[in-house]
Amino acid sequence: MTAHRTARLVLSLLAGFLLAGTVATVTATAAQAEDGYRFWGYYQWTNGQWAFSQKGADAYVPADGAVEGWRFALGGAKPRVPRAAGDFEAICGKTPAETGKKRVAVVVDPGTPEDAAAGETPGQATGTCVVTDPASNGAKILAAVGPVRIEKGLTCGVAGYPAKGCGDQVKNINVPATDAQVTLQIGASVGSSAKPSPAASSEEDSSTPWTGIIIAIVVVALLAGGGLILSRRRSAAK
C-alpha cells in the first residue's frame, strides 16, 4: 500500500469514527465544544439518507443511477452530511441515458461560513449530473464536476474551495445540533455526448427574408410597368 493510500485510509477511518452514526437527520442536542477536523467528507445516498463512504473515492465505483455526496465541514462527533437530499431525478432527470455509459448525480456542499477557514467563503451547494464510463470511480466522477486539489492522496479542495489547507485539526469547535437544509443549484450535465438541438426558427422569421425579396421584386415590376405605360402615353400625345 502506497503512502498516499495509507494516508487516505487513515483519514477516512478517522472521519468514520468522528462521524459515527451517519444519517441525514439527527436528534437535536445542545452544541458542545470539542476538537475536530476541517475536511471534505465523502458520502453515498442510501435508503433515503446520506451515509459516510466506507471506501475512498478512488476505490468506490458507484452504479448507474447512484447519488454521490461531498460536504466540507468541521467534523466532530456527529455527522456533517450534505445539506440537501440526494434527489437523482432532480439532478439527472433531464439528462438522457446513453448506451454504454452511466449517469451519476453529484451533490457538492461547500458548507457554511462557520465551517470555513479564515479568508474563505463557501459557495452554493450544487447538483451535477455526470455521464461517464461505467467503470468510473468516485474520484473520476468528482473531477468531472470541477478541479480537485489532491494533497498526500487526500481530497483537499473541490472546484477551488478551499484554496488551501487539508484535513486541518481545529480545537474547541462548536458543531451545531442540526444543519438547515439548502436548495441545490442544479448545473448543466457533464460528459454527455448528446448535443442540444438548435432552436427552431419560427415560420415568420424564416420567411421574412424571402418575403422582403418578393415584395421588392413586385415593387420594381410595378414601377417598371408604370414607367412603360407613362412612356407610351407620352409617345401617343406627340
Side-chain angles (χ1 to χ4, degrees):
M1 181 178 294
T2 66
H4 286 179
R5 289 183 178 274
T6 300
R8 181 182 289 107
L9 178 60
V10 169
L11 183 57
S12 297
L13 292 175
L14 176 60
F17 286 120
L18 289 174
L19 304 179
T22 53
V23 293
T25 57
V26 295
T27 303
T29 57
Q32 297 180 346
E34 55 184 313
D35 295 342
Y37 293 83
R38 182 179 283 115
F39 66 100
W40 279 100
Y42 177 44
Y43 303 87
Q44 279 91 40
W45 183 254
T46 306
N47 297 324
Q49 62 187 21
W50 289 112
F52 187 78
S53 180
Q54 300 303 305
K55 294 182 178 180
D58 62 345
Y60 183 77
V61 179
D64 178 49
V67 184
E68 298 270 90
W70 292 85
R71 165 74 192 273
F72 185 80
L74 283 172
K78 55 169 293 184
R80 305 296 306 283
V81 300
R83 295 170 296 156
D87 190 337
F88 180 85
E89 185 61 27
I91 300 172
C92 285
K94 295 182 179 180
T95 302
E98 297 185 29
T99 303
K101 293 188 177 183
K102 66 181 178 182
R103 292 176 298 167
V104 177
V106 182
V107 173
V108 176
D109 183 1
T112 67
E114 291 73 24
D115 292 324
E120 297 279 3
T121 302
Q124 186 175 349
T126 62
T128 306
C129 187
V130 177
V131 182
T132 186
D133 184 90
S136 294
N137 58 29
K140 182 177 180 179
I141 291 170
L142 179 62
V145 175
V148 180
R149 178 168 59 88
I150 303 292
E151 293 182 12
K152 298 180 180 179
L154 304 176
T155 300
C156 304
V158 178
Y161 184 82
K164 58 183 179 180
C166 189
D168 300 328
Q169 185 174 19
V170 183
K171 296 288 186 179
N172 296 322
I173 65 174
N174 286 296
V175 178
T178 58
D179 276 321
Q181 293 292 287
V182 299
T183 300
L184 292 177
Q185 179 182 2
I186 307 299
S189 62
V190 296
S192 175
S193 60
K195 297 181 179 179
S197 57
S201 300
S202 67
E203 183 177 350
E204 180 181 356
D205 290 342
S206 62
S207 64
T208 298
W210 290 107
T211 301
I213 293 172
I214 293 172
I215 291 174
I217 293 174
V218 171
V219 170
V220 170
L222 289 175
L223 291 175
L228 179 60
I229 293 173
L230 182 59
S231 177
R232 287 180 177 177
R233 285 182 178 179
R234 287 177 178 175
S235 297
K238 291 178 180 180

